Amino acid sequence: MRSGSSTSCPINSTARPGDRLDYHCYTIGSDGYSWTYVRNDTRSPDTYGWIRDDVLSDGGSAVSCPEFD
């Protein structure tokens, strides 16, 4: 989980297999990949960040982030 939608952004948390992720929306990063903004409900306190969609088993969010359009 990164602070922004790029591999150049710092890692601010991790998501592990089995963690419950709440998807908010996706955007296309500067690297050309789609990224989903998530809340990891498994961590306490909840953590937020961006995960590249190709590493999510279901492909990530289907809702575009309006503030990035």
Side-chain angles (χ1 to χ4, degrees):
M1 297 174 64
R2 295 184 179 267
S3 62
S5 55
S6 170
T7 55
S8 64
C9 293
I11 295 171
N12 60 2
S13 187
T14 58
R16 296 186 178 105
D19 282 0
R20 179 179 156 87
L21 302 177
D22 180 29
Y23 295 171
H24 290 268
C25 59
Y26 78 90
T27 190
I28 303 300
S30 60
D31 57 6
Y33 288 93
S34 61
W35 291 75
T36 292
Y37 188 70
V38 303
R39 179 181 72 221
N40 189 335
D41 294 337
T42 305
R43 305 284 167 224
S44 181
D46 293 345
T47 56
Y48 295 82
W50 293 91
I51 300 177
R52 210 168 80 179
D53 290 342
D54 64 331
V55 300
L56 295 169
S57 62
D58 59 2
S61 177
V63 177
S64 178
C65 297
E67 62 269 24
F68 294 102
D69 286 344

